């Protein structure tokens, strides 16, 4: 008998048929098949804005029609497999031509480049308007990813890329500056999507599960309730719904790798911050949850148990968590990054030389959790090459 949860499953993956930078093996067919096998009702769609749209020097934003068609096909294939909720993640920003910025994650300095910063925000808003108009079935939007990272990888000043770790320091924003940018981005994204889809909701950009996370969230709510945001433009608001309506954690177990008391305490502390600021009823999504096996055979046998423990603890002790997105579907094959990042996948990429398209033990464990112990595991091998 299948397990009945009060939370829903989602997947983190984007087809190579939608984004250029991803592995060739991440096709619409493969991703939609496994979305169905894992009972996923939600998909976190990563979209590189600078590939998907164009902005001229007069700030006119247009969508690239061939990209629109590719995304439409992908969403329709996922819907046919039972996916109903699409969360669109801005996996890069869009810049006017005269910015000359090819970075993807750079944000103009809100103080030193105030005029450029407001242009940047308005361009993002225009793009969200167009996406919401063309894709009414996308009802959830995430304006950026892990902006609080101390490394600055996902949010920084222009000039960050191509420098050593030490040389990058002047290009990394402080946490106070990050809070300002995140709230401004959320406000402008929300205003854009609501123009054509009043039922759409913005997720708070997913953030790291580290010791400083409760203070980061406290600073966010404190700033929001000050009534001084967005920090630019004439309109100000302290209404929660004008910024984001869904909380978003990335609950990686960074210290021990286990779902233990320390991990549970961190989740509880974050929710306590929400309660303190009157947001106890705001749903929480885990838009990235998973473990890398670092390509170690011993670890591959353990990851499934860790996921099952996560599901058990969420079910019994974290009722505020409404969706868990499994990170990620496939290991990386073409696009190598680090040993850890490459090996989060539940299945092997079809271009893996040794185990092309095969499921890992974790994939079998999750499929049985969702579908029951009598689940036909041969369905996990549809794309495996003998």
């Amino acid at each position: 008998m299948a397990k009945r949860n009060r939370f829903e499953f989602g997947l983190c993956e984007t087809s190579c048929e939608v984004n250029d930078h991803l592995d060739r093996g991440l096709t619409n067919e493969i991703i939609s098949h496994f979305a169905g096998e894992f009972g996923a009702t939600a998909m976190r769609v990563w979209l590189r804005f600078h590939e998907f749209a164009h902005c001229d020097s007069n700030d006119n934003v247009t969508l690239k029609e061939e990209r629109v068609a590719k995304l439409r096909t992908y969403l329709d294939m996922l819907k046919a497999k039972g996916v109903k909720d699409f969360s669109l993640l801005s996996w890069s920003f869009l810049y006017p031509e005269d910015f000359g910025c090819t970075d993807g994650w750079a944000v103009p300095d809100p103080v030193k480049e105030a005029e450029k910063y407001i242009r940047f925000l308005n361009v993002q808003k225009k793009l969200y308007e167009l996406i919401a108009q063309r894709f009414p079935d996308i009802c959830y939007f995430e304006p950026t990813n892990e902006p609080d990272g101390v490394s600055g990888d996902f949010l920084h000043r222009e000039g960050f890329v191509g420098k050593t770790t030490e040389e990058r320091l002047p290009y990394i924003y402080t946490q106070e500056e990050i809070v300002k940018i995140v709230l401004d981005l959320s406000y402008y994204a929300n205003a854009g999507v609501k123009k054509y889809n009043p039922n759409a909701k913005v997720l708070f950009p997913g953030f790291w599960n580290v010791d400083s996370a409760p203070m980061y969230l406290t600073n966010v709510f404190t700033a929001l309730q000050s009534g001084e945001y967005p920090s630019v433009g004439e309109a100000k608001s302290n209404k929660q719904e004008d910024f984001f309506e869904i909380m978003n954690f990335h609950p990686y177990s960074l210290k021990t790798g286990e779902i233990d008391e320390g991990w549970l305490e961190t989740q509880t502390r974050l929710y306590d911050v929400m309660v303190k600021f009157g947001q106890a009823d705001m749903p929480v999504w885990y838009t990235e949850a998973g473990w890398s096996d670092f390509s170690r055979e011993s670890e591959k046998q353990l990851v499934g148990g860790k996921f099952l423990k996560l599901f058990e603890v969420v079910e019994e002790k974290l009722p505020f968590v409404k969706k868990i997105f499994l990170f990620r579907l496939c290991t990386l094959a073409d696009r190598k990054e680090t040993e850890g990042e490459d090996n989060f996948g539940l299945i092997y990429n079809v271009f893996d030389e040794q185990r092309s398209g095969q499921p890992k033990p974790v994939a079998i464990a999750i499929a049985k959790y969702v579908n029951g112990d009598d689940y036909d595991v041969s369905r996990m091998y549809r794309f495996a090459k003998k």
Side-chain angles (χ1 to χ4, degrees):
M1 181 178 294
K3 174 73 175 178
R4 298 296 180 184
N5 305 309
R6 49 161 195 76
F7 61 84
E8 296 184 53
F9 279 113
L11 282 181
C12 290
E13 203 60 88
T14 293
S15 170
C16 65
E17 298 176 51
V18 176
N19 287 325
D20 288 342
H21 75 302
L22 294 179
D23 282 4
R24 291 171 293 146
L26 303 177
T27 64
N28 291 348
E29 184 182 17
I30 290 174
I31 297 170
S32 59
H33 170 76
F34 283 102
E37 296 307 304
F38 292 126
T41 60
M43 178 64 74
R44 190 187 192 214
V45 179
W46 306 334
L47 197 64
R48 289 165 68 86
F49 279 4
H50 71 280
E51 289 180 356
F52 192 75
H54 177 262
C55 181
D56 65 21
S57 297
N58 294 317
D59 297 355
N60 296 308
V61 178
T62 54
L63 302 183
K64 298 179 181 180
E65 290 303 319
E66 71 277 10
R67 299 284 181 171
V68 170
K70 289 178 178 180
L71 180 58
R72 179 73 272 155
T73 298
Y74 181 52
L75 299 184
D76 287 345
M77 290 184 71
L78 288 166
K79 288 166 76 172
K81 293 294 186 177
V83 177
K84 58 184 178 64
D85 294 334
F86 296 102
S87 179
L88 187 67
L89 168 64
S90 166
W91 193 240
S92 71
F93 298 119
L94 180 66
Y95 307 102
E97 279 182 332
D98 59 334
F99 275 27
C101 183
T102 58
D103 182 335
W105 293 104
V107 174
D109 190 299
V111 176
K112 297 179 181 179
E113 301 175 288
E115 184 176 342
K116 192 174 183 180
Y117 180 65
I118 188 67
R119 276 189 71 192
F120 165 83
L121 290 172
N122 277 313
V123 165
Q124 312 316 304
K125 178 184 175 183
K126 289 179 181 180
L127 178 54
Y128 280 107
E129 289 178 4
L130 290 175
I131 294 174
Q133 184 179 30
R134 296 292 294 275
F135 294 93
D137 46 351
I138 298 179
C139 291
Y140 303 96
F141 295 82
E142 194 176 351
T144 187
N145 182 66
E146 295 179 353
D148 58 312
V150 294
S151 64
D153 288 340
F154 293 124
L155 185 64
H156 48 250
R157 295 177 175 86
E158 192 172 346
F160 174 91
V161 173
K163 292 182 170 56
T164 66
T165 301
E166 185 175 354
E167 291 171 339
R168 286 175 168 180
L169 293 177
Y171 299 91
I172 298 176
Y173 285 112
T174 66
Q175 186 171 101
E176 182 180 1
E177 291 168 328
I178 290 170
V179 168
K180 175 186 292 188
I181 293 169
V182 165
L183 286 178
D184 288 346
L185 274 171
S186 298
Y187 182 89
Y188 277 77
N190 188 66
V193 300
K194 288 291 202 312
K195 179 176 180 179
Y196 289 105
N197 189 349
N199 295 319
K201 299 183 186 300
V202 168
L203 280 70
F204 184 70
F207 58 98
W208 284 92
N209 190 34
V210 295
D211 289 341
S212 61
M215 181 54 66
Y216 170 68
L217 195 56
T218 297
N219 292 340
V220 166
F221 281 117
T222 300
L224 192 152
Q225 292 192 355
S226 71
E228 298 175 359
Y229 284 85
S231 69
V232 293
E234 296 181 1
K236 305 292 180 185
S237 175
N238 59 4
K239 294 181 180 179
Q240 179 66 58
E241 61 270 22
D242 288 342
F243 294 84
F244 55 88
E245 297 174 84
I246 298 173
M247 183 47 61
N248 179 3
F249 304 163
H250 288 178
Y252 294 112
S253 181
L254 299 176
K255 286 186 176 180
T256 66
E258 303 293 336
I259 302 300
D260 51 20
E261 288 302 317
W263 179 89
L264 179 59
E265 181 183 0
T266 299
Q267 309 313 303
T268 304
R269 288 175 63 203
L270 287 170
Y271 183 66
D272 286 346
V273 173
M274 296 172 60
V275 172
K276 176 182 176 181
F277 285 91
Q279 299 300 328
D281 294 331
M282 182 183 293
V284 174
W285 290 12
Y286 286 168
T287 57
E288 289 184 23
W291 287 264
S292 174
D293 56 42
F294 295 92
S295 196
R296 302 171 192 153
E297 292 303 318
S298 59
E299 287 295 318
K300 292 174 186 177
Q301 302 302 319
L302 299 175
V303 174
K306 293 179 180 181
F307 266 110
L308 298 185
K309 181 65 174 179
L310 168 66
F311 303 155
E312 176 188 339
V313 172
V314 169
E315 183 77 26
E316 295 179 358
K317 300 182 179 180
L318 302 175
F320 50 85
V321 177
K322 305 304 180 185
K323 294 185 191 293
I324 298 178
F325 291 73
L326 311 178
F327 184 87
R328 55 187 291 162
L329 177 59
C330 290
T331 58
L332 301 183
D334 288 342
R335 185 174 58 91
K336 293 293 186 180
E337 295 187 4
T338 66
E339 189 176 41
E341 185 73 18
D342 297 346
N343 292 289
F344 269 92
L346 306 178
I347 64 172
Y348 294 98
N349 193 290
V350 294
F351 290 98
D352 186 285
E353 293 181 359
Q354 295 181 322
R355 295 171 171 170
S356 173
Q358 294 181 20
K360 294 181 180 180
V362 59
I364 303 296
I366 294 175
K368 287 188 173 183
Y369 177 86
V370 172
N371 300 295
D373 289 336
D374 57 350
Y375 171 75
D376 179 5
V377 297
S378 68
R379 299 177 66 84
M380 288 278 111
Y381 288 84
R382 176 175 169 182
F383 302 97
K385 297 179 182 178
K386 296 181 181 179

